């Protein structure tokens, strides 16, 4: 069952004898999912009462734990005016964590449908980290047009194109949950590297989102993960782009004849600014790859966009590692896949002993950050460079940082105390898949340090895939002496 979470005010009809936006979305989603999943059962549920009461009823509380997917209709009313909408999100997340987690592969069981613009940083925390499905187009810093399903509206086709994306992605999550396997995903997002997908003009948003979903499902991290800042109060546009680019090995630009938006305080469009910054990034990274797409039938071009297109054709496309394609968009997607495949096949130089100290990734749960300090000090004083987790405010460590640490370290020490058995199982799975994360040499040591209050799971825990040290008393360096011998002995040998 799919649960629609929405503010009733957002379903109020604008005209007499007209159904509200959410009512029409619900009806169409019910029909389309039945078609995609081949069922006659009711699939989509929402609270349809319009009595003005705003409280979490027993019926809602009973439906949420049964839902496989929650669709959040995000609007200013939802974010600022409905405490209970946010409680629905929190309750669903709690229930989902008890039934397999919020994510299936790289797909989230929380689907963010953005009906009306809301600043990204003010989205509910359960919706952070996902772009969602925007049912509007921004036309300036302050103006936008919402998508409506009526034929006489200007964005009728945009509505149904975006709606199809939502329905298909929900169907994939449902099928994956029923099979018990991930959604056509072979690796975690970012495990194969990161792609900079430049923010295009609004006419290309749909193609941008399809490229994002396609390559995220293959295990690539697509950046930027959040909308680029258009206003000065949201951040520095150029600094943000530079920071994101430095984490990527490939850039992809979709260029149309539209000039696009101009960030506040800038003299050029987003296309122009990103193109300049991508050129600088490419000059700093000789192994980087840059793919640029222009429509093959581009005839209507904003005069302000002509200089950029000429520069791309005459200069950018001629740089080493760059390729400009004026082909159908599906052919361009194939070219992206071919480029990524060739980069993956490039022979890697065998990793030799580095000149610096061995790097030890000390993995721990957030609750153990204080407890690992004595071990952090011991490892450092013994000659190792220690990498510890970085946690965002109120959130877990970003997955991409964890994978990057696994790629770069020489040894892994998993500290198991505050984390529960599910947390430990997830970390062991990462160690099992570590070769797929782009490592260039085997780990010198994989060790699980079991400590703290003794439990049945801790007492019985054993594995042949890593060394296990059980020490339930106060930390004693002697307990980790064999681990350090493996780390430093390999270095010295």
């Amino acid at each position: 069952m799919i649960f629609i979470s929405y503010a009733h005010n957002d379903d109020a009809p604008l005209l007499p004898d007209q159904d509200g936006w959410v009512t029409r979305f619900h009806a169409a989603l019910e029909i389309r999912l039945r078609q995609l999943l081949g069922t006659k059962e009711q699939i989509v549920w929402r609270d349809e009462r319009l009595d003005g009461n705003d409280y979490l009823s027993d019926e809602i509380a009973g439906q949420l734990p049964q839902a496989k997917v929650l669709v959040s209709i995000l609007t200013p009313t939802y974010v600022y005016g409905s405490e209970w909408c946010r409680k629905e999100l929190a309750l669903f997340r709690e229930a989902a964590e008890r039934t397999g987690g919020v994510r299936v592969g790289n797909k989230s069981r929380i689907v963010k449908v953005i009906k009306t613009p809301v600043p990204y940083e003010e989205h509910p925390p359960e919706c952070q980290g996902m772009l969602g499905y925007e049912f509007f187009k921004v036309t300036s810093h302050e103006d936008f047009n919402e998508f409506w399903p009526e034929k006489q509206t200007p964005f009728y086709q945009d509505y149904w194109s975006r709606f199809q994306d939502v329905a298909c992605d929900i169907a994939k999550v449902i099928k994956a949950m029923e099979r018990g396997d991930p959604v056509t995903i072979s690796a975690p997002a970012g495990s194969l590297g990161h792609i900079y997908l430049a923010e295009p003009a609004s006419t290309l948003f749909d193609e941008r989102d399809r490229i994002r979903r396609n390559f995220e499902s293959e295990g690539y991290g697509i950046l930027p993960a959040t909308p680029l800042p258009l206003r000065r109060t949201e951040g520095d546009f150029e600094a943000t782009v530079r920071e994101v680019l430095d984490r990527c090995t490939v850039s992809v630009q979709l260029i149309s004849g539209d000039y696009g938006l101009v960030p506040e305080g800038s003299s050029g469009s987003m296309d122009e600014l990103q193109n300049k910054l991508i050129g600088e990034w490419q000059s700093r990274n000789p192994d980087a790859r840059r793919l640029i797409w222009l429509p093959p039938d581009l005839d209507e071009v904003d005069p302000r966009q002509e200089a950029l297109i000429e520069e791309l054709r005459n200069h950018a496309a001629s740089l080493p590692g760059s390729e400009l394609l004026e082909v159908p968009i599906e052919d361009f997607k194939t070219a992206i896949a071919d480029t990524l495949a060739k980069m993956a096949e490039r022979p890697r130089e065998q990793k030799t002993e580095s000149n610096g100290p061995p790097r030890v990734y000390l993995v721990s749960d957030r609750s153990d950050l204080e407890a690992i300090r004595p071990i952090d000090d011991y490892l450092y004083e013994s000659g190792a460079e220690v990498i510890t987790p970085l946690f965002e405010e109120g959130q877990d460590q970003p997955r991409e940082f964890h994978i990057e640490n696994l790629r770069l370290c020489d040894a892994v020490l998993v500290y198991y105390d505050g984390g529960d058995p599910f947390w430990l199982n997830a970390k062991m799975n990462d160690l099992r898949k570590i070769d797929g994360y782009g490592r260039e040499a085997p780990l010198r040591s994989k060790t699980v340090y079991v400590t703290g209050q003794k439990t049945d799971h801790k007492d019985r825990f054993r594995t042949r895939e890593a060394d296990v040290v059980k020490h339930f008393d106060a930390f004693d360096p002697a307990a980790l002496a064999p681990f350090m011998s493996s780390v430093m002995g390999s270095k010295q040998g």
Side-chain angles (χ1 to χ4, degrees):
M1 187 264 288
I2 291 88
F3 183 101
I4 294 180
S5 173
Y6 72 108
H8 288 165
N9 186 49
D10 293 319
D11 195 39
L14 298 179
L15 298 173
D17 302 321
Q18 180 188 61
D19 286 334
W21 194 97
V22 179
T23 296
R24 283 176 285 180
F25 179 87
H26 178 168
L29 186 63
E30 178 80 46
I31 294 170
R32 188 61 182 137
L33 285 176
R34 286 179 181 176
Q35 294 170 343
L36 293 171
L37 297 172
T39 180
K40 295 181 180 179
E41 298 178 3
Q42 178 182 356
I43 299 173
V44 185
W45 189 90
R46 67 185 169 96
D47 176 21
E48 299 185 36
R49 295 169 304 153
L50 292 176
D51 55 8
N53 293 329
D54 189 20
Y55 64 92
L56 198 64
S57 68
D58 291 340
E59 185 178 14
I60 293 175
Q63 292 285 355
L64 275 168
Q66 303 176 47
K68 293 181 178 177
V69 173
L70 180 138
V71 178
S72 174
I73 309 292
L74 214 62
T75 65
T77 303
Y78 191 103
V79 172
Y80 308 126
S82 177
E83 175 185 355
W84 296 109
C85 283
R86 297 192 298 276
K87 287 193 175 183
E88 288 172 356
L89 267 173
L91 183 60
F92 174 79
R93 185 181 183 92
E94 291 173 6
E97 293 289 1
R98 296 193 295 269
T99 57
V102 177
R103 301 192 70 83
V104 180
N106 285 333
K107 298 291 184 183
S108 174
R109 292 172 60 188
I110 298 174
V111 175
K112 182 167 64 174
V113 169
I114 312 172
K115 174 182 177 289
T116 311
V118 177
Y120 177 83
E121 63 274 11
E122 297 180 19
H123 290 192
E126 292 83 0
C127 294
Q128 294 285 345
M130 59 180 78
L131 284 179
Y133 303 83
E134 295 178 351
F135 278 74
F136 62 87
K137 284 188 177 176
V138 175
T139 55
S140 72
H141 292 306
E142 302 292 341
D143 298 325
F144 65 94
N145 285 308
E146 286 186 350
F147 299 169
W148 290 79
E150 291 89 357
K151 285 187 177 180
Q152 65 269 28
T153 57
F155 295 100
Y156 168 77
Q157 293 294 342
D158 297 278
Y159 176 95
W160 290 110
S161 175
R162 193 59 49 83
F163 172 86
Q164 174 71 0
D165 289 339
V166 173
C168 287
D169 284 351
I170 291 176
K172 289 177 184 177
V173 173
I174 298 299
K175 290 177 181 178
M177 292 183 70
E178 290 174 349
R179 291 193 306 265
D181 58 16
V183 186
T184 61
I185 289 169
S186 57
S191 63
L192 297 181
H194 289 87
I195 301 169
Y196 183 84
L197 181 56
E199 187 77 1
S202 60
T203 50
L204 294 175
F205 280 1
D206 287 347
E207 296 300 344
R208 172 206 62 186
D209 291 344
R210 292 189 184 100
I211 290 174
R212 172 182 293 277
R213 284 191 281 275
N214 182 46
F215 289 98
E216 275 185 341
S217 72
E218 296 295 328
Y220 292 94
I222 308 299
L223 300 176
T226 60
L228 293 171
L230 285 174
R231 300 182 181 89
R232 287 174 175 171
T233 55
E234 298 171 346
D236 185 298
F237 182 91
E238 294 196 15
T240 300
V241 173
R242 286 192 182 97
E243 180 181 354
V244 173
L245 275 167
D246 284 340
R247 297 167 57 192
C248 300
T249 55
V250 178
S251 77
V252 173
Q253 296 167 263
L254 304 178
I255 305 296
S256 70
D258 298 323
Y259 189 63
L261 295 177
V262 177
E264 192 174 71
S266 300
S267 58
S269 69
M270 293 178 71
D271 274 349
E272 291 173 328
L273 293 173
Q274 289 178 103
N275 183 64
K276 180 193 76 170
L277 296 168
I278 290 170
E280 296 173 357
W281 163 80
Q282 193 176 17
S283 66
R284 298 192 304 269
N285 299 275
D287 292 333
R289 294 293 178 267
R290 180 183 189 185
L291 295 165
I292 308 162
W293 179 77
L294 283 170
D297 53 355
L298 187 61
D299 47 13
E300 295 186 10
V301 179
D302 187 307
R304 296 171 296 174
Q305 187 79 339
E306 290 176 349
L308 172 63
I309 292 175
E310 183 179 356
E311 193 276 336
L312 290 171
R313 285 172 171 160
N314 297 333
H315 176 65
S318 64
L319 295 174
S322 294
E323 189 173 3
L324 184 145
L325 296 95
E326 299 187 52
V327 298
I329 190 65
E330 293 304 320
D331 292 345
F332 182 67
K333 294 175 187 176
T334 300
I336 299 173
D338 290 344
T339 297
L340 295 171
K342 290 175 183 176
M343 293 182 70
E345 291 171 359
R346 284 188 305 190
R348 296 177 180 156
E349 295 181 5
Q350 288 299 311
K351 188 175 182 181
T352 58
E353 296 298 328
S354 64
N355 294 325
R359 293 180 292 269
V360 176
Y361 181 23
L362 178 53
V363 182
S364 78
D365 184 68
R366 174 196 293 274
S367 62
D368 290 324
L369 285 179
E370 286 296 322
I372 65 173
R373 284 193 172 189
I375 296 180
D376 186 349
D377 293 340
Y378 164 70
L379 297 174
Y380 183 80
E381 291 165 4
S382 298
E385 185 70 20
V386 187
I387 305 171
T388 54
L390 295 174
F391 294 97
E392 294 181 344
E393 184 71 26
Q395 301 180 37
D396 292 335
Q397 176 178 220
R399 177 73 177 168
E400 61 204 55
F401 292 166
H402 174 61
I403 298 301
E404 185 70 7
N405 290 341
L406 289 174
R407 275 202 295 265
L408 295 177
C409 70
D410 297 301
V412 174
L413 179 62
V414 179
Y415 184 93
Y416 177 34
D417 182 9
D420 60 24
F422 297 100
W423 175 89
L424 179 61
N425 184 64
K427 302 312 171 189
M428 292 302 297
N429 282 337
D430 287 335
L431 292 178
R432 294 178 184 113
K433 297 182 289 187
I434 197 167
D435 289 341
Y437 295 157
R439 284 196 57 83
E440 298 178 347
L443 286 169
R444 300 177 189 176
S445 178
K446 292 182 286 186
T447 298
V448 180
Y449 183 81
V450 184
T451 188
Q453 184 177 358
K454 186 182 292 189
T455 64
D456 183 61
H457 184 267
K458 290 179 182 179
D459 197 38
R460 289 184 53 81
F461 175 72
R462 57 187 178 180
T463 178
R464 293 188 176 93
E465 297 176 312
D467 295 324
V468 178
V469 174
K470 295 185 179 181
H471 188 78
F472 296 104
D473 298 323
F475 174 64
D476 181 353
L480 287 179
F483 171 78
M484 284 310 298
S485 178
S486 298
V487 174
M488 303 304 295
S490 174
K491 175 70 178 176
Q492 294 162 1

